[in-house]
Amino acid sequence: MFKPGRKLTLPSPPHLLLSLLLLLSIIIINATATATVNTKRFREAPQFYNSPTCPSISTKDMCSQQAVHVAMTLDFPYLRGTMAAILSILQHSSCPENTRFHFISSPSSTYLHETITSSFPYLRSQIHPFDTNSVSGLISTSIRSALDSPLNYARNYLANILPPCVRKAVYLDSDLVLVDDIAMLAATPLGTGTVLAAPEYCNANITAYFTPTFWANPSLSLTFSGRNACYFNTGVMIIDLERWREGDYTAKIVEWMELQKRMRIYELGSLPPFLLVFAGNIAAVDHKWNQHGLGGDNYRGLCRDLHPGPVSLLHWSGKGKPWVRLDENRPCPLDALWAPYDLLQTPFAIDF
């Protein structure tokens, strides 16, 4: 019998306590993210219309081969960037009504799609839940925590996530804006048997993306043998999803990730497996379609200038993001090129 003044102790298995703490943490994180989204208000974007020469596509047709299919991940930290990217795509498109957006999100974050559709009520889009459990156990710690997000690896599974009727897609990161017609990028010829296209940078030292362990291994060091392997940025890619599925390239990428868990062969997030599988075997894209690195490096995110030449897409890859620097009143000069696409409603915003 319990007596007053006597301390009552209940059995509390360590694993049960840890499970409860983990569940509580998840609830708090999701509640905080939802509350923060609700406090951030975004303006409704103007509606954009097709030019007379655009083919007619049903608004309900999310599989049309005449449409430009755009795939992007959707999560809270990059929501503001995603909305700016969408606006830039539509604003500079000759056939904006023929653009189909496919948003990939974790099951717990699908509510973010409501925020998108509130600012773009006319947008032709779908949300595709991504089970992050399928990749969480394969992720190795990289040089920047943002690169370790499971959603950062969704591009590896894109051909499995999107419906089979979508045969080709343009994959885009959320920290970029277009200043040219995305239809021209989507029309990049892939050639016979090529799975993806992206701007290549053959002056970059591709060996630096892999560890001494990789290069010291006689078998691994021959991976790029016979290939003119060049660095490419995976934030802008045109992907033939049919060829990807036929070649089961997801399995090839996963094999490298599994090896990385056994012996550390690279340092930088989701990029190296793409280089290991595709470098030297992709279709080239003009560099104007990925003026990348505007977010600086992965450590300090310092300001950078544009690369020489024309510009069709500005990409703030790296640690520094324009919306963060603008909010902190320490913008870089090129962040002013991102600001006109920012839909965040501020107390001082004036709608025209």
Side-chain angles (χ1 to χ4, degrees):
M1 177 183 291
F2 175 70
K3 297 181 180 180
R6 187 176 180 182
K7 186 177 180 180
L8 177 64
T9 58
L10 296 174
S12 179
H15 67 275
L16 176 61
L17 181 59
L18 288 174
S19 298
L20 290 173
L21 288 173
L22 180 60
L23 178 61
L24 180 60
S25 299
I26 293 172
I27 293 172
I28 293 173
I29 290 171
N30 286 338
T32 302
T34 305
T36 308
V37 169
N38 290 337
T39 58
K40 285 184 179 293
R41 296 187 180 275
F42 295 90
R43 295 179 286 115
E44 182 175 324
Q47 186 169 358
F48 300 94
Y49 300 93
N50 283 351
S51 64
T53 58
C54 297
S56 179
I57 302 175
S58 169
T59 57
K60 296 181 179 180
D61 188 353
M62 290 296 296
C63 293
S64 173
Q65 301 310 306
Q66 293 180 300
V68 172
H69 293 273
V70 179
M72 304 179 73
T73 57
L74 186 60
D75 63 346
F76 172 69
Y78 284 80
L79 176 62
R80 193 167 160 192
T82 301
M83 299 186 77
I86 296 168
L87 177 57
S88 73
I89 292 168
L90 297 174
Q91 183 171 321
H92 297 284
S93 174
S94 57
C95 301
E97 295 176 275
N98 292 355
T99 306
R100 300 294 184 265
F101 288 87
H102 301 268
F103 298 113
I104 300 134
S105 179
S106 64
S108 63
S109 301
T110 53
Y111 65 89
L112 294 175
H113 193 225
E114 298 176 7
T115 305
I116 296 287
T117 54
S118 294
S119 287
F120 300 94
Y122 49 83
L123 198 69
R124 281 74 169 176
S125 65
Q126 281 185 338
I127 188 80
H128 303 277
F130 174 55
D131 182 11
T132 55
N133 291 328
S134 62
V135 72
S136 295
L138 296 172
I139 297 174
S140 300
T141 304
S142 63
I143 59 176
R144 185 159 60 91
S145 59
L147 301 176
D148 300 336
S149 166
L151 206 57
N152 193 43
Y153 291 81
R155 71 195 85 194
N156 301 1
Y157 303 86
L158 195 62
N160 301 330
I161 297 171
L162 299 191
C165 63
V166 180
R167 301 176 185 174
K168 184 180 179 182
V170 179
Y171 178 86
L172 297 175
D173 277 350
S174 297
D175 52 357
L176 53 77
V177 294
L178 276 77
V179 292
D180 212 338
D181 192 345
I182 193 171
M184 294 190 293
L185 176 62
T188 301
L190 290 175
T192 304
T194 306
V195 177
L196 67 82
E200 291 181 294
Y201 303 90
C202 294
N203 291 331
N205 181 14
I206 195 171
T207 62
Y209 290 90
F210 303 95
T211 64
T213 300
F214 176 88
W215 295 113
N217 185 291
S219 177
L220 296 179
S221 61
L222 295 175
T223 300
F224 297 109
S225 179
R227 294 157 57 181
N228 183 24
C230 297
Y231 161 80
F232 65 94
N233 180 278
T234 54
V236 178
M237 297 185 290
I238 303 94
I239 305 175
D240 187 315
L241 298 172
E242 277 194 317
R243 293 176 182 173
W244 184 294
R245 294 170 185 131
E246 291 169 359
D248 197 10
Y249 283 93
T250 293
K252 292 178 172 63
I253 289 176
V254 168
E255 284 179 7
W256 284 111
M257 294 178 67
E258 290 174 340
L259 178 61
Q260 164 78 352
K261 294 295 289 186
R262 297 195 298 271
M263 53 187 294
R264 197 165 185 86
I265 58 174
Y266 56 79
E267 302 290 353
L268 190 66
S270 61
L271 169 64
F274 266 83
L275 296 178
L276 289 163
V277 173
F278 293 109
N281 294 319
I282 70 172
V285 177
D286 193 298
H287 287 183
K288 70 179 183 178
W289 285 108
N290 195 353
Q291 283 271 354
H292 68 292
L294 304 185
D297 60 22
N298 284 300
Y299 296 98
R300 293 182 294 171
L302 300 178
C303 299
R304 285 187 178 174
D305 294 327
L306 287 172
H307 305 291
V311 180
S312 292
L313 184 150
L314 299 130
H315 187 187
W316 278 263
S317 58
K319 185 178 181 179
K321 304 305 174 188
W323 58 91
V324 174
R325 296 193 294 215
L326 287 165
D327 285 352
E328 294 177 351
N329 292 317
R330 54 176 189 85
C332 293
L334 290 178
D335 294 345
L337 300 177
W338 180 90
Y341 302 99
D342 186 11
L343 288 173
L344 183 68
Q345 181 72 59
T346 64
F348 308 104
I350 300 176
D351 292 326
F352 294 95

